Amino acid sequence: MRLLLLLLVGLLADSTSAECALGSDYKFELTPCDPEGGRWRVQVPTSSASHSCTLEQPRRVDSCESSCEAGQFFDLSTLSCGACPPGSYSMGGAVLFDNWDTLPQGFHTQVESFQSSFIGRFGTGVNCTAFGWQAKGDFLASVGGPCAATVTLSVRLARVGNLSYVYQYSNRDVIFDFEAQNEQCQSVADAKEFRWPSVTAEGEWRRQVVQLKPGNNLLQWKTIGMETYPGKPILIKSIEISGTTRATSCSPCRNGTFSAEGSRQCQECPENHFSSRGASSCQPCNPETEFAPKGFSRCIKRHACTSKDFYETRSPCDANNQTRAEYRWLEPKICMAGVSLPPVGPSRPCLPCNPGMSPGPDASCQFCPAEHFSDDGGPCKPCPPNTTPNYGYVFQRWAQLPASMSSSCRQQDGSECGGMTGWHVAGTHVQSGQHHADGAYLLLSLNVPGFRSKGGVVGGRRLEVGRVSFTFELDCKAKCEFVFMQASDRRGVNLVQSWSGATFKREFSHSVYANDSYTFSWAFQKASLTDYDVFSNLLDTDVARIFSINVTNTIDGGASVCLACHQETDEVGCIPCPPGHFVDSNTTQCTQCPPGTTVSNPLAYGIESCQPCGPGLSSTDGVTCTSDCVFAGEPSFDLSALAHETFLVRGSRLFTASGAQYFHVFNISLCGNTQAQCSNNISYQVDGTSSQVNSFVCRTTMVPSAWSDEEVVLSTQSVTLGDELVAVTNNTAFMSMEVIEEFLSQNATLHFYYSTPLATRSCPQGRTTVISLSCDASKHGNGSIVLPSKCPDGTCDGCSFNFLWQTAVACPVCREQDFRLVRGECTGGSQLLHYLAPTNCRVLTNLPATKAVKCQNHIPVELQVSDRAKGVVPNRNINEN
């Protein structure tokens, strides 16, 4: 190779005489490392190179693995390390990608639609160009959708190094996958362990670190969307790789940052300063007429102050229960001149405390102590005898933020907002802060340690353990989003509901069905990532206002009323009724609910608290509605053969041209005698939450491994599709569920209806499942379960699932009149009676025995058979003699 390089330069030297200029005539490049562990520096002519200049001979670089210190780069002109010039940075033997104005050099993206052997709910003509990984300024983002999107980076390491990337992943309808391969196309060991990044909470950033080996490494981040709409994007904020070969250039600082000579990283410009790309220092804004948030690339003109730039608050109540109106500028103050703050208002009586609260020693409102109540916000009073406090949270006056609530502000990059207000009280409401950079999360949180009820299912519906309701409005001129979330240690974070754009004053109510310790959060965010412009809404006065929050049936808080309760003669205080009982309003005695009804609240009052079970279900304990898989009636069914097992159903495999694929596996427990289980063998879920779900119907996403050295199929994103069985009936619709037309045309006669009321981003009303059973005498044993032909995932909308179970077990039980009676020929004054089993029902008892009876009429067998063929033989009871 060296001889070839010398020959090339010699030929060029023979035809040239002038000295070549770096940049205009040539550039330096390094050859790949050779077996001796070195490489060559060569001059490569540019497209505009002069034909009369002389190129130097290649120079040998003896080592491929040495690297420069942070803040330095390997100067190809001098073949030595030099300090990065001001306005740039270098991490030495590492590279950092945190500027996503465009896709950095070396990154490649691909997006593909899924195909299936069936016509799926995604259709056949999905346009994936709007999905996939996109550079969005501060982030690399993938918005999901029904597509597989991949971003790859190939990097060569001179020694063992680490990949460290910071991401945000809160959309459970998307599978997020990281893969790493070495130059032998083998998976990197650490990459297998960290292949499935954990889900993060809304607005949370998490760092993932993976060890890489020397040599070439192919890094790949992939998202697989399972819904037809773009959901909450998966974000990557930064990617850092150590162990790389020495950098031959320094990276310029991005807008809003600066660096001095020899810097390892760039610093953000302080507030009221700005910089452009590659700046060595930040320039100040005019303090009188301009401002700039931290890390901005330009100054923004201050507007004249108006009444929208300050807000009213109240001073703490004094010893005389008096307060005064005070006014404060919104922080940071970005206006000038114009109006001034109003003077402090006159003294006036303090606002009453919220129901269930009373003024404390420091005049702040506090919850009443145990066994006390306050119905008007005044002094707390003890509950009367034979009553108990009805605890809850009622916040409708906002002189101060209650102790159980907290407010915070978090920038989209995960940092705090620098002392800026997240939410602040305003007397009649609590409202979001203003003048934040676009994309900032303004969080208002309420901690609820638990509820007094255990929940359950009655009357074909899930019983709530409590309810959260609130009244709000969104005053938005630009794009904004308001979300309500529910979080617990065992169940992770769930987005309950979201609203976008201007919204008139309205009330929203959310039922809680599982008793747990929860944090309920309200988050307000201006602008959207898909139209990211960090300046567009900075001056807007967009705001969210919450007027009231009410949480019922809690184990703590305050009580505005006391309820009658059960007491024993030798006991002091209220005693909860046993499960399945209610408190008789007249006698305050505990009374068991009638058969076929249930109650969940231990302090339920009146027999009206006992709600009937759904069709086909029964209850003997007053607690749960169940089914033994045997259904009396006309016709009757006995499905007990299916009651003690769970059954697996596999959905259609979806795949892309490049090999990305997944499929779903469903687990079904028809009557719930044995719970269906779906488990993850990878920890995609939020830390601390269970990797297994148990229910009547559940689903697991199966992802076959793409590695050539792996045979395992990975399971992830296990979800419940039926927490409770709410009805078994021959009706083709129940509540909001209905049997699809395709299954009705296949003689489905009995239908099981299941419900999972937990709201998610993709299914705000929860998920439902309908299993229809069809009598098919040819399907012996358990039969077969099929999915809709047009929806191989079992659903066409992602929320309503349908299955058809074809089996002989689903045939109705034979009745007496269903057996066919055939008389034998009369011989010697007697004839034999034969009984034939029908084909359209199940014979669960032995056929009546053949017996001889005295002839009544002598009719030749030929005529009997002929008449029966014509349908003229009368029906006879099987007990006929």
Side-chain angles (χ1 to χ4, degrees):
M1 181 177 184
R2 180 175 184 180
L3 180 61
L4 178 61
L5 291 170
L6 292 173
L7 179 60
L8 174 62
V9 174
L11 292 174
L12 291 173
D14 289 341
S15 60
T16 58
S17 58
E19 183 177 349
C20 295
L22 178 62
S24 60
D25 291 323
Y26 70 92
K27 61 180 179 180
F28 286 122
E29 287 190 5
L30 292 174
T31 65
C33 290
D34 53 35
E36 288 77 25
R39 57 175 64 185
W40 295 87
R41 185 201 70 178
V42 297
Q43 291 177 321
V44 179
T46 64
S47 58
S48 59
S50 170
H51 295 287
S52 60
C53 67
T54 303
L55 296 178
E56 296 179 1
Q57 291 188 358
R59 290 187 59 180
R60 178 71 174 173
V61 181
D62 293 328
S63 175
C64 291
E65 296 187 2
S66 60
S67 61
C68 299
E69 297 295 328
Q72 297 182 330
F73 72 104
F74 188 67
D75 191 338
L76 292 180
S77 298
T78 63
L79 295 180
S80 62
C81 294
C84 287
S88 65
Y89 72 97
S90 169
M91 301 178 66
V95 292
L96 173 66
F97 303 97
D98 63 353
N99 184 356
W100 307 101
D101 293 329
T102 59
L103 198 65
Q105 184 178 1
F107 283 83
H108 302 278
T109 61
Q110 181 183 25
V111 61
E112 302 173 284
S113 60
F114 284 98
Q115 304 296 324
S116 172
S117 54
F118 296 90
I119 301 175
R121 60 189 174 100
F122 295 154
T124 57
V126 175
N127 183 1
C128 287
T129 56
F131 304 101
W133 290 98
Q134 302 170 15
K136 292 289 183 179
D138 286 341
F139 316 102
L140 186 63
S142 175
V143 295
C147 305
T150 304
V151 58
T152 58
L153 172 65
S154 180
V155 60
R156 180 175 180 83
L157 270 62
R159 57 187 181 279
V160 173
N162 287 326
L163 162 70
S164 173
Y165 64 96
V166 179
Y167 71 95
Q168 191 176 111
Y169 170 31
S170 60
N171 187 351
R172 294 171 182 260
D173 293 325
V174 176
I175 298 175
F176 186 28
D177 170 21
F178 167 74
E179 301 175 9
Q181 289 179 302
N182 59 23
E183 52 195 5
Q184 282 79 41
C185 294
Q186 296 175 332
S187 59
V188 178
D190 244 12
K192 292 183 186 179
E193 180 182 354
F194 298 108
R195 179 177 176 184
W196 307 97
S198 298
V199 172
T200 64
E202 195 84 16
E204 176 193 1
W205 291 99
R206 182 166 299 179
R207 182 181 297 275
Q208 188 78 285
V209 179
V210 181
Q211 188 178 80
L212 302 176
K213 294 181 179 180
N216 290 324
N217 289 267
L218 180 65
L219 311 178
Q220 177 176 280
W221 292 265
K222 180 188 296 181
T223 59
I224 299 176
M226 293 185 291
E227 296 299 337
T228 56
Y229 59 88
K232 195 75 173 179
I234 284 78
L235 307 178
I236 295 178
K237 182 170 67 173
S238 65
I239 298 174
E240 182 178 341
I241 304 169
S242 64
T244 60
T245 56
R246 48 196 167 196
T248 58
S249 64
C250 298
S251 301
C253 293
R254 60 183 174 87
N255 293 339
T257 65
F258 72 101
S259 72
E261 182 180 24
S263 294
R264 184 185 188 278
Q265 60 185 9
C266 300
Q267 306 295 322
E268 281 191 321
C269 290
E271 289 185 0
N272 298 322
H273 289 72
F274 73 99
S275 73
S276 56
R277 181 181 175 87
S280 59
S281 62
C282 298
Q283 304 302 312
C285 300
N286 185 320
E288 300 297 328
T289 61
E290 296 175 328
F291 77 99
K294 183 180 179 181
F296 262 46
S297 61
R298 67 179 177 91
C299 296
I300 303 173
K301 185 177 179 180
R302 296 182 184 270
H303 64 276
C305 294
T306 69
S307 59
K308 293 184 177 182
D309 290 298
F310 62 82
Y311 64 96
E312 178 183 335
T313 185
R314 298 297 180 97
S315 64
C317 293
D318 58 22
N320 298 320
N321 197 35
Q322 297 288 304
T323 184
R324 307 177 73 179
E326 298 178 344
Y327 301 89
R328 299 176 182 173
W329 293 111
L330 292 170
E331 295 294 339
K333 183 183 177 184
I334 60 174
C335 63
M336 62 178 186
V339 302
S340 301
L341 286 178
V344 175
S347 296
R348 62 180 64 179
C350 291
L351 288 173
C353 291
N354 285 305
M357 306 181 80
S358 67
D362 59 353
S364 63
C365 293
Q366 300 175 356
F367 286 122
C368 289
E371 307 302 328
H372 288 67
F373 76 103
S374 172
D375 55 357
D376 56 2
C380 296
K381 297 168 284 188
C383 285
N386 299 334
T387 65
T388 187
N390 185 23
Y391 293 116
Y393 301 153
V394 180
F395 303 135
Q396 57 193 26
R397 306 181 187 108
W398 301 93
Q400 61 188 21
L401 203 62
S404 54
M405 299 190 73
S406 61
S407 168
S408 63
C409 173
R410 197 159 42 190
Q411 301 285 10
Q412 215 173 2
D413 63 2
S415 62
E416 297 295 327
C417 293
M420 299 172 69
T421 304
W423 292 74
H424 60 79
V425 295
T428 59
H429 60 274
V430 58
Q431 73 176 46
S432 60
Q434 294 170 291
H435 299 170
H436 298 279
D438 292 355
Y441 285 91
L442 310 182
L443 294 172
L444 183 67
S445 299
L446 169 64
N447 294 319
V448 178
F451 296 88
R452 299 197 302 273
S453 300
K454 68 176 183 61
V457 182
V458 297
R461 63 183 178 86
R462 187 94 178 259
L463 288 178
E464 61 185 38
V465 300
R467 180 179 291 267
V468 182
S469 56
F470 55 94
T471 304
F472 72 98
E473 71 178 9
L474 304 180
D475 185 1
C476 297
K477 297 180 178 62
K479 290 187 177 182
C480 66
E481 184 179 25
F482 181 62
V483 299
F484 173 56
M485 296 173 288
Q486 170 183 295
S488 71
D489 290 340
R490 287 188 293 176
R491 293 171 175 81
V493 180
N494 286 294
L495 188 149
V496 178
Q497 187 62 279
S498 64
W499 299 265
S500 298
T503 303
F504 292 111
K505 188 175 181 180
R506 57 166 296 179
E507 182 179 9
F508 177 77
S509 184
H510 168 62
S511 297
V512 182
Y513 293 102
N515 199 348
D516 203 345
S517 175
Y518 291 97
T519 296
F520 299 100
S521 299
W522 296 260
F524 181 67
Q525 184 184 39
K526 292 191 301 178
S528 66
L529 187 68
T530 52
D531 292 319
Y532 189 83
D533 179 351
V534 75
F535 310 112
S536 60
N537 295 321
L538 191 60
L539 299 178
D540 287 342
T541 55
D542 294 351
V543 65
R545 300 183 183 93
I546 299 177
F547 298 92
S548 64
I549 297 175
N550 185 18
V551 186
T552 64
N553 205 40
T554 58
I555 61 176
D556 71 345
S560 60
V561 66
C562 297
L563 303 176
C565 63
H566 170 65
Q567 281 188 320
E568 299 289 350
T569 56
D570 56 347
E571 296 285 348
V572 177
C574 294
I575 301 175
C577 288
H581 290 66
F582 65 93
V583 178
D584 188 298
S585 303
N586 298 319
T587 66
T588 69
Q589 297 299 306
C590 292
T591 306
Q592 185 168 10
C593 284
T597 65
T598 62
V599 66
S600 67
N601 193 335
L603 289 177
Y605 293 88
I607 193 171
E608 61 274 10
S609 301
C610 302
Q611 298 295 318
C613 295
L617 307 178
S618 62
S619 177
T620 57
D621 59 3
V623 178
T624 57
C625 295
T626 60
S627 169
D628 59 2
C629 265
V630 177
F631 308 96
E634 291 293 335
S636 61
F637 297 88
D638 186 344
L639 307 178
S640 55
L642 307 177
H644 302 288
E645 297 182 57
T646 60
F647 303 89
L648 296 177
V649 185
R650 174 171 164 167
S652 175
R653 187 183 296 254
L654 299 171
F655 54 89
T656 66
S658 65
Q661 56 183 298
Y662 74 90
F663 61 92
H664 289 134
V665 171
F666 304 88
N667 199 1
I668 295 173
S669 175
L670 189 64
C671 294
N673 297 43
T674 301
Q675 281 195 318
Q677 294 183 351
C678 293
S679 303
N680 304 326
N681 60 15
I682 56 172
S683 57
Y684 93 98
Q685 69 278 354
V686 175
D687 289 346
T689 61
S690 174
S691 62
Q692 177 177 289
V693 296
N694 300 294
S695 62
F696 285 87
V697 185
C698 58
R699 183 190 72 184
T700 298
T701 301
M702 312 298 289
V703 184
S705 175
W707 305 117
S708 58
D709 57 343
E710 289 182 357
E711 297 180 356
V712 65
V713 175
L714 303 173
S715 61
T716 182
Q717 295 193 333
S718 296
V719 295
T720 174
L721 306 180
D723 279 328
E724 64 265 354
L725 175 62
V726 296
V728 182
T729 176
N730 56 9
N731 293 330
T732 59
F734 184 76
M735 297 171 59
S736 61
M737 298 171 277
E738 60 182 1
V739 182
I740 61 175
E741 186 65 31
E742 176 186 346
F743 291 168
L744 291 177
S745 64
Q746 299 189 41
N747 300 319
T749 56
L750 190 64
H751 313 287
F752 285 67
Y753 295 90
Y754 307 85
S755 172
T756 295
L758 180 63
T760 65
R761 182 188 295 272
S762 56
C763 300
Q765 304 304 317
R767 292 185 172 96
T768 61
T769 297
V770 181
I771 300 178
S772 301
L773 280 87
S774 174
C775 170
D776 189 336
S778 66
K779 302 280 188 179
H780 301 292
N782 297 328
S784 61
I785 303 175
V786 297
L787 303 171
S789 60
K790 294 184 178 179
C791 305
D793 285 338
T795 177
C796 293
D797 61 5
C799 302
S800 302
F801 293 79
N802 279 266
F803 301 87
L804 178 66
W805 199 328
Q806 298 170 319
T807 173
V809 179
C811 295
V813 176
C814 292
R815 303 163 297 176
E816 291 184 358
Q817 59 267 35
D818 293 325
F819 292 99
R820 293 183 59 199
L821 172 63
V822 177
R823 290 178 177 274
E825 184 178 4
C826 186
T827 304
S830 66
Q831 60 184 162
L832 296 177
L833 299 182
H834 304 275
Y835 298 91
L836 302 180
T839 59
N840 60 347
C841 63
R842 294 179 64 202
V843 179
L844 297 183
T845 59
N846 293 328
L847 289 173
T850 300
K851 58 184 177 180
V853 297
K854 184 179 179 180
C855 294
Q856 295 182 352
N857 294 300
H858 183 75
I859 302 176
V861 174
E862 292 81 0
L863 292 179
Q864 293 186 42
V865 174
S866 175
D867 287 344
R868 290 184 184 279
K870 297 176 182 179
V872 298
V873 178
N875 291 330
R876 298 182 183 273
N877 192 283
I878 62 174
N879 296 317
E880 179 181 351
N881 294 320

